[in-house]
Amino acid sequence: MSMIKKWKVKRHGIWLILVVLLVAGCQSLGGLDLNRALLSGMDTTSLQQSASISLHLKQDPNTMPDERTKAMIELLNDASLELQQIKMESRERVSVKGQLKLSKGAIPFEMFGGPDQIVIKVEGAKKTIVLPYGLNDMGGSEEADLAFKEIRDQLLKSYKEKGIDKLISSFIVNNLPNPKTINVLSTNESIHGEQVNVYKLETTLNGTEMIPLLKTFLRNMTKDEANFKQLVGQLYDVLWPVIEKHLKNDELLGESPMLSRLPDRTALLESILDAASDRELAIDIIHTTLKELMFAGMIGVDTLNRSDDNPLKAVLNDKTFVNTKLYFDRTFNLRKSEVELSVTPKGIDTAGIASVQVKMQSEIWDINKPVKADVLNPGASPFIVGQGGPTEELSELVDPNSLLGQLLEAQRPSMPEPELDMFYIPVEDKNSPDLTGAYIEDGIAYAPLWLLAEELYADIEYDGDRVTLTDPWGSIRFTIGSKEADADGEPLVLDGTVRLHDDVVYVPCRSVAEWLGASVSYDEKEQAIRVLLDYWEV
């Protein structure tokens, strides 16, 4: 089962709002009501926007990256995603035109999100790509698929009518902690060629502040008992009436491959319905469970912050920062933004990359004015995700000679290097009273069986003149004085006979080592037998 979520631009620059939520708090500064400004975007129904995201990778002069990392740096350094034209006609109709700029050139693309699907056209792809909304490959009947679509549509409608977006955002904003540095001033700013009188908010958040702020945020939400429980109640009122109706449809639920396997499905559903229909009980259980999860999250975050072994501290250090500049007009609409994120890891292997810098810029105009999205026609034979085969087949749509094809190839995981285990067995004189290594007789190298077993991760069992060697893949049985062996029930003729030498069992080295998955060669310089176990081949 796969699910494709509805792609909507419900508010201007959602990633910018997320940054604000992390750094701005809800105080009033310089005449700007931050709470109101942060929530004003929830009322936006149409707009035009341009945005860009750029990436800069700084190479560590003291570390030479491998060839693959070097190629990635050359390809992606100073790359930028330019969304030159975003048109939001409504929350359900949005178009985007832009390009991905790389050192080797640009990859133009277009997107259109309508009520039922997203259509994508990108240079280098042989077909237009269509992403339908909702549930695909449910494995049930057409009736079940239509019912799930009805559930989704009813939930979205109720969700919108109740204004749940704003309720959730208000709860979050009201519990945000304030960073150490935040300033607001009144000024004029050029936005889409127009001079606009704005409130300019600027804040800088150091990497060392982020974990403590997150802990405080979780603590604030956990302690906000009344508002949290009220929000849970409002979500219950939106979700439960729709879900309850369909839980009672046993014929529909019987189409679900997962539910149909439950032996007591009817009894279970009746029990769920009875408990969940008690509004006060259900809200109390959900509220308590969510509070426990947030409390556990707060403890986990605090433990990370106090631990000397916290891996996040290598990234969230005093060299890492987020600088945010937001420009709100006099009606508290976000009109422009500039965000810079710089990450400089310390004390960890960064594969030759010293720091990563990401810059995001955005300008917004025509807020809640008539805007017409550019409809994108999918064509006669588009690639429909979820209907044209597995998602992996998307790669077959791309021209390998195009810039897009080169980009995908550069990001394709390379095969891991084989893991090797190698050891040497010194070749000695067979007649030496201190013989502990291997010896050569009639051109055949013999080695102590215990040594091969120990180095190649096998076990030995002795039973008179019979010896059994076992590893995770099978076993081989020898008879002392014979070159005949039994390997997993199949006869095997060894290079030489198995023999005893001062009560130590010696075996033909090549025959046994190769059966255990190793290769054998003679190193003349070292005067030793080299045994190499290649796990990749095994």
Side-chain angles (χ1 to χ4, degrees), residues 28-153:
S28 179
L29 290 173
L32 174 63
D33 184 341
L34 294 186
N35 189 310
R36 181 178 171 186
L38 293 178
L39 297 176
S40 66
M42 299 297 168
D43 296 322
T44 301
T45 58
S46 63
L47 58 78
Q48 292 200 65
Q49 180 180 3
S50 64
S52 67
I53 306 173
S54 61
L55 173 69
H56 177 69
L57 304 174
K58 184 178 179 181
Q59 190 170 325
D60 186 348
N62 300 316
T63 304
M64 179 61 68
D66 59 37
E67 290 302 315
R68 188 172 184 82
T69 303
K70 187 177 179 181
M72 183 194 71
I73 293 174
E74 291 176 354
L75 180 66
L76 298 180
N77 195 23
D78 294 325
S80 63
L81 177 64
E82 299 179 353
L83 307 179
Q84 299 152 334
Q85 190 178 73
I86 302 173
K87 294 181 178 181
M88 187 172 90
E89 181 178 332
S90 66
R91 295 186 177 185
E92 287 76 30
R93 292 176 64 85
V94 183
S95 63
V96 179
K97 291 183 180 180
Q99 62 178 358
L100 176 63
K101 289 188 67 175
L102 304 170
S103 59
K104 296 182 178 180
I107 304 174
F109 63 89
E110 297 179 55
M111 301 174 66
F112 173 73
D116 301 312
Q117 63 187 17
I118 303 170
V119 181
I120 305 171
K121 184 180 291 186
V122 57
E123 186 177 278
K126 301 172 185 176
K127 293 184 177 182
T128 301
I129 301 168
V130 175
L131 287 76
Y133 296 145
L135 299 168
N136 299 313
D137 302 325
M138 287 294 296
S141 67
E142 183 179 352
E143 179 187 356
D145 291 339
L146 290 173
F148 279 114
K149 183 179 183 299
E150 182 184 350
I151 292 174
R152 183 204 68 198
D153 292 343

Side-chain angles (χ1 to χ4, degrees), residues 140-176:
S141 67
E142 183 179 352
E143 179 187 356
D145 291 339
L146 290 173
F148 279 114
K149 183 179 183 299
E150 182 184 350
I151 292 174
R152 183 204 68 198
D153 292 343
Q154 290 176 356
L155 287 175
L156 289 174
K157 180 181 178 182
S158 182
Y159 189 87
K160 186 188 303 182
E161 290 174 349
K162 298 286 187 180
I164 299 299
D165 276 359
K166 184 173 286 189
L167 293 172
I168 295 174
S169 298
S170 180
F171 175 70
I172 292 174
V173 168
N174 287 329
N175 286 290
L176 284 169

Side-chain angles (χ1 to χ4, degrees), residues 1 8 68 142 147 216 235 243 266 354 428 464 482 498 504 529 535:
M1 180 179 70
K8 299 179 181 178
R68 188 172 184 82
E142 183 179 352
T216 303
L235 285 169
I243 295 173
T266 302
E428 302 172 4
S482 172
V498 178
V504 176
I529 296 170
Y535 295 100

